[in-house]
Coordinates of all heavy atoms in Angstrom, one line a residue:
M1 N -0.8 -14.9 0.4 CA -1.6 -16.1 0.7 C -2.4 -16.5 -0.5 O -3.5 -16.0 -0.7 CB -2.5 -15.8 1.9 CG -1.7 -15.4 3.2 SD -2.8 -14.9 4.5 CE -3.9 -16.2 4.6
V2 N -2.0 -17.5 -1.2 CA -2.7 -18.0 -2.4 C -3.5 -19.2 -2.0 O -3.0 -20.1 -1.3 CB -1.7 -18.4 -3.5 CG1 -2.5 -18.9 -4.7 CG2 -0.9 -17.2 -3.9
T3 N -4.7 -19.3 -2.4 CA -5.5 -20.5 -2.2 C -5.7 -21.2 -3.5 O -5.2 -20.7 -4.5 CB -6.9 -20.1 -1.6 OG1 -7.6 -19.2 -2.6 CG2 -6.8 -19.4 -0.3
E4 N -6.4 -22.3 -3.5 CA -6.5 -23.1 -4.8 C -7.3 -22.3 -5.8 O -7.1 -22.5 -7.0 CB -7.2 -24.4 -4.5 CG -6.4 -25.3 -3.6 CD -6.5 -25.0 -2.1 OE1 -7.5 -24.3 -1.7 OE2 -5.6 -25.3 -1.3
T5 N -8.3 -21.5 -5.5 CA -9.1 -20.8 -6.4 C -8.6 -19.5 -7.0 O -9.2 -18.9 -7.8 CB -10.5 -20.6 -5.8 OG1 -10.4 -19.7 -4.7 CG2 -11.2 -21.9 -5.4
G6 N -7.4 -19.1 -6.5 CA -6.9 -17.8 -7.0 C -7.2 -16.6 -6.1 O -6.8 -15.5 -6.4
N7 N -8.0 -16.8 -5.0 CA -8.3 -15.7 -4.1 C -7.1 -15.4 -3.2 O -6.5 -16.3 -2.7 CB -9.5 -16.0 -3.3 CG -10.8 -16.0 -4.1 OD1 -10.9 -15.2 -5.1 ND2 -11.7 -16.9 -3.7
M8 N -6.8 -14.1 -3.0 CA -5.7 -13.7 -2.2 C -6.1 -12.6 -1.3 O -7.1 -12.0 -1.5 CB -4.5 -13.2 -3.1 CG -3.8 -14.3 -3.9 SD -2.4 -13.7 -4.7 CE -1.3 -13.4 -3.4
T9 N -5.3 -12.3 -0.3 CA -5.5 -11.2 0.6 C -4.5 -10.1 0.2 O -3.3 -10.4 0.1 CB -5.3 -11.5 2.1 OG1 -6.2 -12.6 2.4 CG2 -5.5 -10.3 2.9
C10 N -4.9 -8.9 -0.1 CA -4.0 -7.8 -0.6 C -3.1 -7.4 0.5 O -3.5 -7.3 1.7 CB -4.9 -6.7 -1.0 SG -3.9 -5.3 -1.6
E11 N -1.8 -7.2 0.2 CA -0.9 -6.7 1.2 C -1.0 -5.3 1.5 O -0.6 -4.8 2.6 CB 0.6 -7.0 0.7 CG 0.9 -8.4 0.6 CD 2.3 -8.6 0.0 OE1 3.0 -7.6 -0.3 OE2 2.8 -9.8 -0.1
G12 N -1.6 -4.5 0.6 CA -1.8 -3.1 0.8 C -3.0 -2.7 1.7 O -2.9 -2.1 2.7
C13 N -4.2 -3.2 1.3 CA -5.4 -2.8 2.0 C -6.0 -4.0 2.8 O -6.9 -3.7 3.7 CB -6.5 -2.4 1.0 SG -7.0 -3.7 -0.2
G14 N -5.6 -5.2 2.7 CA -6.0 -6.3 3.5 C -7.3 -6.9 3.0 O -7.8 -7.8 3.7
E15 N -7.9 -6.5 1.9 CA -9.1 -7.1 1.4 C -8.8 -8.3 0.5 O -7.7 -8.4 0.0 CB -9.9 -6.0 0.6 CG -10.4 -4.9 1.5 CD -11.2 -3.9 0.7 OE1 -11.6 -4.2 -0.4 OE2 -11.5 -2.8 1.3
R16 N -9.8 -9.1 0.3 CA -9.6 -10.3 -0.5 C -9.9 -9.9 -2.0 O -10.8 -9.1 -2.2 CB -10.5 -11.4 -0.1 CG -10.2 -11.8 1.3 CD -10.7 -13.2 1.8 NE -10.6 -14.3 0.9 CZ -9.4 -15.0 0.8 NH1 -8.4 -14.7 1.5 NH2 -9.4 -16.1 0.0
F17 N -9.2 -10.4 -2.9 CA -9.4 -10.2 -4.3 C -9.0 -11.4 -5.1 O -8.3 -12.3 -4.6 CB -8.6 -9.0 -4.8 CG -7.1 -9.2 -4.8 CD1 -6.5 -9.4 -6.0 CD2 -6.3 -9.2 -3.7 CE1 -5.1 -9.7 -6.1 CE2 -4.9 -9.4 -3.8 CZ -4.3 -9.6 -5.0
Y18 N -9.4 -11.5 -6.3 CA -9.1 -12.6 -7.2 C -7.8 -12.2 -7.9 O -7.7 -11.2 -8.6 CB -10.2 -12.9 -8.2 CG -9.9 -14.1 -9.0 CD1 -10.2 -15.4 -8.5 CD2 -9.4 -14.0 -10.3 CE1 -9.9 -16.5 -9.2 CE2 -9.1 -15.1 -11.0 CZ -9.4 -16.4 -10.5 OH -9.1 -17.5 -11.2
N19 N -6.8 -13.1 -7.9 CA -5.5 -12.9 -8.4 C -5.5 -13.4 -9.9 O -5.5 -14.6 -10.1 CB -4.4 -13.5 -7.6 CG -3.1 -13.1 -8.0 OD1 -2.9 -12.2 -8.9 ND2 -2.1 -13.8 -7.5
F20 N -5.4 -12.5 -10.8 CA -5.3 -12.9 -12.2 C -3.9 -13.3 -12.6 O -3.6 -14.1 -13.5 CB -5.8 -11.8 -13.2 CG -7.3 -11.5 -13.0 CD1 -7.7 -10.4 -12.4 CD2 -8.2 -12.4 -13.6 CE1 -9.0 -10.1 -12.3 CE2 -9.5 -12.2 -13.4 CZ -10.0 -11.0 -12.8
F21 N -2.9 -12.6 -11.9 CA -1.5 -12.9 -12.2 C -0.9 -13.5 -11.0 O -1.2 -13.3 -9.9 CB -0.8 -11.5 -12.5 CG -1.5 -10.7 -13.5 CD1 -2.2 -9.6 -13.2 CD2 -1.4 -11.1 -14.9 CE1 -2.9 -8.9 -14.1 CE2 -2.1 -10.3 -15.8 CZ -2.8 -9.2 -15.5
D22 N 0.1 -14.4 -11.2 CA 0.7 -15.1 -10.1 C 1.7 -14.3 -9.3 O 1.9 -14.5 -8.1 CB 1.5 -16.3 -10.7 CG 0.5 -17.4 -11.2 OD1 -0.6 -17.4 -10.8 OD2 1.0 -18.1 -12.1
R23 N 2.2 -13.2 -9.9 CA 3.3 -12.5 -9.2 C 2.8 -11.3 -8.4 O 3.5 -10.8 -7.6 CB 4.3 -12.0 -10.2 CG 5.0 -13.1 -10.9 CD 6.2 -12.7 -11.7 NE 6.9 -13.9 -12.2 CZ 7.0 -14.1 -13.5 NH1 6.6 -13.3 -14.4 NH2 7.7 -15.2 -13.8
L24 N 1.6 -10.8 -8.6 CA 1.0 -9.7 -7.9 C 0.5 -10.1 -6.5 O -0.3 -11.1 -6.5 CB 0.0 -8.9 -8.7 CG 0.4 -8.1 -9.9 CD1 -0.8 -7.5 -10.5 CD2 1.4 -7.0 -9.4
A25 N 0.8 -9.4 -5.5 CA 0.3 -9.7 -4.2 C -0.6 -8.6 -3.7 O -1.0 -8.5 -2.5 CB 1.4 -10.0 -3.2
I26 N -0.9 -7.6 -4.6 CA -1.7 -6.5 -4.2 C -2.8 -6.3 -5.3 O -2.7 -6.7 -6.4 CB -0.9 -5.2 -4.1 CG1 -0.2 -4.8 -5.4 CG2 0.0 -5.2 -2.9 CD1 0.4 -3.5 -5.4
C27 N -3.9 -5.7 -4.8 CA -5.1 -5.6 -5.8 C -4.8 -4.4 -6.7 O -3.9 -3.6 -6.4 CB -6.4 -5.4 -5.0 SG -6.4 -4.0 -3.9
L28 N -5.6 -4.3 -7.7 CA -5.4 -3.2 -8.7 C -5.7 -1.8 -8.2 O -5.1 -0.8 -8.6 CB -6.2 -3.5 -10.0 CG -5.7 -4.7 -10.8 CD1 -6.6 -4.9 -12.0 CD2 -4.3 -4.5 -11.2
T29 N -6.6 -1.7 -7.2 CA -6.8 -0.4 -6.6 C -5.6 0.1 -5.8 O -5.3 1.3 -5.8 CB -8.1 -0.4 -5.7 OG1 -7.9 -1.4 -4.7 CG2 -9.3 -0.7 -6.5
C30 N -4.9 -0.8 -5.1 CA -3.6 -0.4 -4.4 C -2.5 -0.1 -5.4 O -1.7 0.8 -5.1 CB -3.2 -1.5 -3.5 SG -4.3 -1.7 -2.0
V31 N -2.5 -0.8 -6.6 CA -1.5 -0.5 -7.6 C -1.8 1.0 -8.1 O -0.8 1.8 -8.2 CB -1.6 -1.5 -8.8 CG1 -0.8 -1.0 -9.9 CG2 -1.2 -2.8 -8.3
K32 N -3.0 1.3 -8.3 CA -3.4 2.7 -8.7 C -3.0 3.7 -7.6 O -2.5 4.8 -7.9 CB -4.9 2.8 -9.0 CG -5.3 4.1 -9.5 CD -6.8 4.1 -9.9 CE -7.3 5.4 -10.3 NZ -8.7 5.5 -10.6
A33 N -3.2 3.4 -6.4 CA -2.9 4.3 -5.3 C -1.4 4.5 -5.2 O -0.9 5.6 -4.9 CB -3.4 3.7 -3.9
R34 N -0.6 3.4 -5.4 CA 0.9 3.5 -5.4 C 1.4 4.4 -6.6 O 2.4 5.1 -6.4 CB 1.5 2.1 -5.4 CG 1.3 1.4 -4.1 CD 1.9 0.0 -4.1 NE 1.6 -0.6 -2.8 CZ 2.1 -1.7 -2.4 NH1 3.0 -2.4 -3.1 NH2 1.8 -2.2 -1.2
H35 N 0.7 4.3 -7.7 CA 1.1 5.1 -8.8 C 0.8 6.6 -8.5 O 1.7 7.4 -8.8 CB 0.4 4.7 -10.1 CG 0.6 5.5 -11.3 ND1 1.8 5.6 -11.9 CD2 -0.2 6.4 -11.9 CE1 1.8 6.4 -12.9 NE2 0.5 7.0 -12.9
R36 N -0.3 6.9 -8.0 CA -0.6 8.3 -7.6 C 0.3 8.8 -6.6 O 0.8 10.0 -6.6 CB -2.1 8.4 -7.0 CG -3.1 8.4 -8.1 CD -4.5 8.8 -7.5 NE -4.7 8.3 -6.2 CZ -5.6 7.3 -6.0 NH1 -6.3 6.8 -7.0 NH2 -5.8 6.9 -4.8
A37 N 0.7 8.0 -5.6 CA 1.7 8.4 -4.5 C 3.1 8.7 -5.1 O 3.8 9.6 -4.7 CB 1.7 7.4 -3.4
A38 N 3.4 7.9 -6.1 CA 4.7 8.1 -6.8 C 4.8 9.4 -7.5 O 5.8 10.0 -7.6 CB 5.0 6.9 -7.7
L39 N 3.7 9.7 -8.1 CA 3.6 11.0 -8.9 C 3.5 12.2 -8.0 O 4.1 13.2 -8.3 CB 2.4 11.0 -9.9 CG 2.5 10.0 -11.0 CD1 1.3 10.1 -11.9 CD2 3.8 10.2 -11.9
A40 N 2.8 12.1 -6.9 CA 2.6 13.2 -6.0 C 3.7 13.3 -4.9 O 3.7 14.3 -4.2 CB 1.2 13.1 -5.3
L41 N 4.4 12.3 -4.7 CA 5.5 12.2 -3.7 C 4.9 12.2 -2.3 O 5.6 12.6 -1.3 CB 6.5 13.3 -3.8 CG 7.3 13.3 -5.2 CD1 8.2 14.5 -5.3 CD2 8.0 12.0 -5.4
K42 N 3.6 11.9 -2.1 CA 3.0 11.8 -0.8 C 1.8 10.9 -0.9 O 1.3 10.5 -2.0 CB 2.6 13.1 -0.2 CG 1.6 13.9 -1.1 CD 1.3 15.2 -0.5 CE 0.2 15.9 -1.3 NZ -0.2 17.2 -0.7
C43 N 1.2 10.5 0.3 CA 0.0 9.7 0.3 C -1.2 10.5 0.0 O -1.4 11.6 0.5 CB -0.1 9.1 1.7 SG -1.6 8.2 1.9
L44 N -2.0 10.0 -0.9 CA -3.3 10.6 -1.3 C -4.5 9.7 -1.0 O -5.5 9.8 -1.6 CB -3.3 11.0 -2.8 CG -2.2 12.0 -3.2 CD1 -2.2 12.1 -4.7 CD2 -2.4 13.3 -2.5
C45 N -4.3 8.7 -0.1 CA -5.3 7.7 0.2 C -6.5 8.3 1.0 O -7.6 7.7 0.9 CB -4.7 6.6 0.9 SG -3.6 5.6 -0.1
G46 N -6.3 9.3 1.8 CA -7.4 9.9 2.6 C -7.8 8.9 3.7 O -7.0 8.5 4.5
R47 N -9.1 8.6 3.7 CA -9.7 7.7 4.8 C -9.1 6.3 4.7 O -9.1 5.5 5.7 CB -11.2 7.6 4.7 CG -11.9 8.9 5.0 CD -13.4 8.7 5.0 NE -13.8 8.2 3.7 CZ -14.8 7.2 3.6 NH1 -15.4 6.7 4.6 NH2 -15.1 6.8 2.4
Q48 N -8.7 5.8 3.5 CA -8.3 4.5 3.3 C -6.8 4.3 3.7 O -6.3 3.2 3.6 CB -8.5 4.1 1.9 CG -9.9 4.1 1.5 CD -10.1 3.9 0.0 OE1 -9.2 4.0 -0.8 NE2 -11.3 3.5 -0.4
A49 N -6.1 5.3 4.1 CA -4.7 5.2 4.5 C -4.5 4.3 5.7 O -5.3 4.3 6.6 CB -4.1 6.6 4.8
R50 N -3.5 3.5 5.6 CA -3.1 2.6 6.7 C -1.7 3.0 7.2 O -0.8 2.8 6.5 CB -3.1 1.1 6.3 CG -4.5 0.6 5.8 CD -4.4 -0.8 5.3 NE -3.8 -1.7 6.3 CZ -3.1 -2.8 6.0 NH1 -3.0 -3.2 4.8 NH2 -2.6 -3.6 7.0
Q51 N -1.7 3.6 8.4 CA -0.4 4.1 8.9 C 0.5 3.0 9.4 O 0.0 2.0 10.0 CB -0.7 5.1 10.1 CG -1.3 6.4 9.7 CD -1.4 7.3 10.9 OE1 -1.0 7.1 12.0 NE2 -2.0 8.5 10.6
S52 N 1.8 3.2 9.1 CA 2.8 2.3 9.6 C 3.4 2.9 10.9 O 3.1 3.9 11.3 CB 3.8 2.0 8.5 OG 4.6 3.2 8.3
D53 N 4.4 2.2 11.3 CA 5.2 2.7 12.5 C 6.1 3.9 12.0 O 6.2 4.1 10.8 CB 6.1 1.6 13.1 CG 5.3 0.5 13.7 OD1 4.1 0.7 14.1 OD2 5.8 -0.7 13.7
V54 N 6.7 4.5 13.0 CA 7.6 5.6 12.6 C 8.9 5.1 12.0 O 9.5 4.1 12.5 CB 7.9 6.4 13.9 CG1 8.9 7.5 13.6 CG2 6.6 7.0 14.5
H55 N 9.3 5.7 10.9 CA 10.5 5.3 10.2 C 11.6 6.4 10.5 O 11.3 7.5 10.6 CB 10.3 5.2 8.7 CG 9.3 4.2 8.3 ND1 9.6 2.8 8.3 CD2 8.0 4.3 7.9 CE1 8.5 2.1 8.0 NE2 7.6 3.0 7.7
R56 N 12.8 5.9 10.6 CA 13.9 6.9 10.8 C 15.1 6.6 9.9 O 15.5 5.4 9.8 CB 14.4 6.8 12.3 CG 13.4 7.3 13.3 CD 13.9 7.1 14.7 NE 12.8 7.2 15.5 CZ 12.7 8.1 16.5 NH1 13.7 8.9 16.8 NH2 11.6 8.2 17.2
V57 N 15.6 7.6 9.3 CA 16.9 7.5 8.6 C 17.7 8.8 8.9 O 17.3 9.9 8.5 CB 16.7 7.4 7.0 CG1 18.0 7.5 6.3 CG2 15.9 6.2 6.7
G58 N 18.7 8.6 9.7 CA 19.5 9.8 10.1 C 18.7 10.6 11.1 O 18.1 10.1 12.0
S59 N 18.5 11.9 10.7 CA 17.7 12.8 11.6 C 16.3 12.9 11.1 O 15.4 13.5 11.7 CB 18.3 14.2 11.6 OG 18.3 14.7 10.3
R60 N 16.0 12.3 9.9 CA 14.6 12.4 9.3 C 13.7 11.3 9.9 O 14.1 10.1 9.9 CB 14.7 12.3 7.8 CG 13.3 12.4 7.2 CD 13.5 12.5 5.7 NE 12.1 12.6 5.1 CZ 11.5 11.6 4.5 NH1 12.0 10.5 4.3 NH2 10.3 11.9 4.0
T61 N 12.5 11.7 10.4 CA 11.5 10.7 10.9 C 10.2 11.0 10.2 O 9.9 12.1 10.0 CB 11.3 10.8 12.4 OG1 10.9 12.1 12.7 CG2 12.6 10.4 13.1
W62 N 9.5 9.9 9.8 CA 8.2 10.1 9.1 C 7.4 8.9 9.3 O 7.8 7.8 9.8 CB 8.5 10.3 7.6 CG 8.9 9.1 6.8 CD1 8.1 8.2 6.1 CD2 10.2 8.5 6.7 NE1 8.9 7.2 5.6 CE2 10.2 7.4 5.9 CE3 11.5 9.0 7.2 CZ2 11.3 6.6 5.6 CZ3 12.6 8.2 6.9 CH2 12.5 7.1 6.1
I63 N 6.1 9.0 9.0 CA 5.1 8.0 9.0 C 4.6 7.7 7.6 O 4.3 8.7 6.9 CB 3.9 8.3 9.9 CG1 4.3 8.6 11.3 CG2 2.8 7.3 9.8 CD1 3.2 9.1 12.2
S64 N 4.7 6.5 7.2 CA 4.3 6.1 5.8 C 3.0 5.3 5.8 O 2.5 4.8 6.8 CB 5.4 5.4 5.1 OG 5.6 4.1 5.7
C65 N 2.4 5.2 4.6 CA 1.1 4.5 4.4 C 1.5 3.1 3.9 O 2.3 2.9 3.0 CB 0.3 5.3 3.4 SG -1.2 4.4 2.9
L66 N 0.8 2.1 4.4 CA 1.1 0.7 4.0 C 0.4 0.4 2.7 O 0.7 -0.5 2.0 CB 0.6 -0.3 5.1 CG 1.4 -0.2 6.4 CD1 0.8 -1.1 7.4 CD2 2.8 -0.6 6.2
R67 N -0.7 1.2 2.4 CA -1.5 0.9 1.2 C -0.7 1.4 -0.1 O -0.6 0.7 -1.1 CB -2.8 1.6 1.3 CG -3.7 1.4 0.1 CD -5.1 1.9 0.3 NE -5.9 1.7 -0.8 CZ -6.4 2.6 -1.6 NH1 -6.1 3.9 -1.4 NH2 -7.1 2.3 -2.7
C68 N -0.2 2.7 0.0 CA 0.4 3.3 -1.2 C 1.9 3.5 -1.1 O 2.5 3.9 -2.0 CB -0.3 4.6 -1.6 SG 0.1 5.9 -0.4
L69 N 2.4 3.2 0.1 CA 3.8 3.4 0.4 C 4.3 4.8 0.3 O 5.5 5.1 0.3 CB 4.7 2.5 -0.5 CG 4.4 1.0 -0.5 CD1 5.3 0.3 -1.5 CD2 4.5 0.4 0.8
G70 N 3.4 5.7 0.3 CA 3.7 7.2 0.3 C 3.9 7.7 1.7 O 3.5 7.1 2.7
S71 N 4.5 8.9 1.8 CA 4.7 9.5 3.2 C 3.4 10.2 3.6 O 2.9 11.1 2.9 CB 5.9 10.5 3.1 OG 6.1 11.1 4.3
I72 N 2.9 9.9 4.8 CA 1.7 10.5 5.3 C 2.1 11.8 6.0 O 1.5 12.9 5.8 CB 1.0 9.6 6.3 CG1 0.4 8.4 5.5 CG2 -0.2 10.4 7.0 CD1 -0.3 7.4 6.4
R73 N 3.1 11.7 6.9 CA 3.5 12.9 7.7 C 5.0 12.8 8.0 O 5.5 11.8 8.4 CB 2.7 12.8 9.0 CG 2.9 14.0 10.0 CD 2.0 13.8 11.2 NE 0.6 13.7 10.9 CZ -0.1 12.6 11.3 NH1 0.4 11.7 12.0 NH2 -1.4 12.5 10.9
Q74 N 5.6 13.9 7.9 CA 7.0 14.0 8.3 C 7.1 14.6 9.7 O 6.6 15.7 9.9 CB 7.8 14.9 7.3 CG 9.3 14.9 7.6 CD 10.1 15.4 6.5 OE1 9.7 15.5 5.3 NE2 11.4 15.8 6.8
L75 N 7.8 13.9 10.6 CA 7.8 14.4 12.0 C 9.0 15.3 12.2 O 8.9 16.2 13.0 CB 7.9 13.1 12.9 CG 6.7 12.2 12.7 CD1 6.9 10.9 13.5 CD2 5.4 12.9 13.1
S76 N 10.1 15.1 11.6 CA 11.3 16.0 11.7 C 12.2 15.8 10.6 O 12.1 15.0 9.8 CB 12.0 15.7 13.0 OG 12.6 14.4 13.0

């Protein structure tokens, strides 16, 4: 959601931020969280984690974080 002044709502955390680049739709703190999750192979957001619905691929089911896109909990 771009406004005339460059303010946007982050897709990861939902907070408003000033968009310096036209192509980014997430704030820099969420970019940093996604980088940490990619290195650790799991969510490290703690209290700031935003749980998504249950995902299923074959027999594997898990809950992921909308902020960092990492896996919060594997159900099976």
